[in-house]
Amino acid sequence: MGPAANVVNRDRSEMKTLRFEPLREGHIPAILEIEKVSNTAPWSEKSFQNELNHTHGIFLVAILQGDVVGYGGVWLVVDEAHVTTIAVAEEQRRQGIGQKLMIELLERAKATGMVCSTLEVRASNVGAIKMYEKFGYAITATRKGYYPDNKEDAVVMWLYDLDSWESPSL
Ligand SMILES: CC(C)(COP(=O)(O)OP(=O)(O)OC[C@H]1O[C@@H](n2cnc3c(N)ncnc32)[C@H](O)[C@@H]1OP(=O)(O)O)[C@@H](O)C(=O)NCCC(=O)NCCS
């Protein structure tokens, strides 16, 4: 087998694997397609561009078979990892991609020295709340009418022990 065939084989096996990449400009058009069907108040293109140069943030893109299938970000605020967004393409949900994305984000945040993590989620977003609970986040407060688009309440969740947190085996 010549060198060219080796390259083709290696690329094919990599394509089957879910992998995570730091956000690049080229990911943004595909992200916007997922975003518009995932959030009732979608982030703008500019919001994602701001994540490209965020010095205190981690923003990862999930790639499956060469396609962008999800993304998520955290801001690193003193010693707290704030989850700012996470979404998976509708047709790829309930296959564990969201969980794997959360594990990548939390492990990387922990590696930078973050000791806890927090997030806000719409009170009606039962699926996301269940996912966060699986990671040890607990509901600590409700912010009444927090979301301007429909005045929905936000649920505030905290994971207090990120520094000793072990990622669950999936
Ligand atoms: C929330 C979201 C990212 C989850 O991604 P996903 O790849 O489907 O999640 P996973 O397959 O890894 O599921 C993880 C766990 O979350 C929970 N979960 C996820 N979606 C759920 C749903 N629709 N109903 C109930 N539980 C759900 C389950 O506990 C699930 O584990 P299980 O499949 O073993 O039961 C995805 O539903 C999404 O993109 N939603 C729209 C955007 C959004 O709401 N983001 C969160 C904003 S705070």
Side-chain angles (χ1 to χ4, degrees):
M1 190 188 293
N6 271 331
V7 168
V8 169
N9 282 344
R10 193 179 66 236
D11 285 353
R12 280 200 184 134
S13 69
E14 282 174 2
M15 294 271 280
K16 287 180 192 151
T17 318
L18 179 70
R19 65 175 202 276
F20 300 96
E21 294 180 355
L23 177 66
R24 283 186 280 108
E25 183 86 46
H27 295 133
I28 293 178
I31 287 177
L32 289 170
E33 288 301 307
I34 299 173
E35 179 70 3
K36 71 183 180 201
V37 294
S38 297
N39 280 316
T40 49
W43 281 24
S44 66
E45 185 172 0
K46 181 84 183 113
S47 302
F48 288 106
Q49 281 167 343
N50 288 341
E51 297 300 312
L52 289 167
N53 305 314
H54 205 296
T55 48
H56 293 91
I58 300 168
F59 200 103
L60 296 176
V61 180
I63 312 278
L64 183 68
Q65 295 178 331
D67 293 328
V68 171
V69 292
Y71 48 89
V74 295
W75 286 349
L76 309 174
V77 184
V78 191
D79 57 2
E80 302 171 358
H82 288 234
V83 179
T84 55
T85 187
I86 182 164
V88 170
E90 249 181 340
E91 65 279 10
Q92 300 289 351
R93 289 182 192 162
R94 297 310 291 268
Q95 299 175 68
I97 296 172
Q99 291 183 80
K100 290 185 179 129
L101 200 42
M102 280 300 295
I103 288 172
E104 281 291 321
L105 288 168
L106 291 177
E107 281 186 339
R108 292 180 193 216
K110 180 181 167 182
T112 70
M114 298 299 107
V115 302
C116 54
S117 177
T118 187
L119 57 89
E120 280 130 11
V121 53
R122 288 176 191 262
S124 66
N125 197 344
V126 176
I129 292 170
K130 281 198 163 115
M131 179 175 75
Y132 298 134
E133 283 175 340
K134 272 187 142 176
F135 288 98
Y137 288 86
I139 294 172
T140 57
T142 300
R143 295 202 172 115
K144 288 276 167 211
Y146 179 79
Y147 292 99
D149 59 327
N150 63 353
K151 304 278 179 281
E152 186 172 356
D153 295 350
V155 166
V156 180
M157 302 185 79
W158 277 91
L159 170 68
Y160 286 121
D161 52 358
L162 181 61
D163 47 347
S164 58
W165 178 83
E166 299 287 343
S167 59
S169 50
L170 299 180

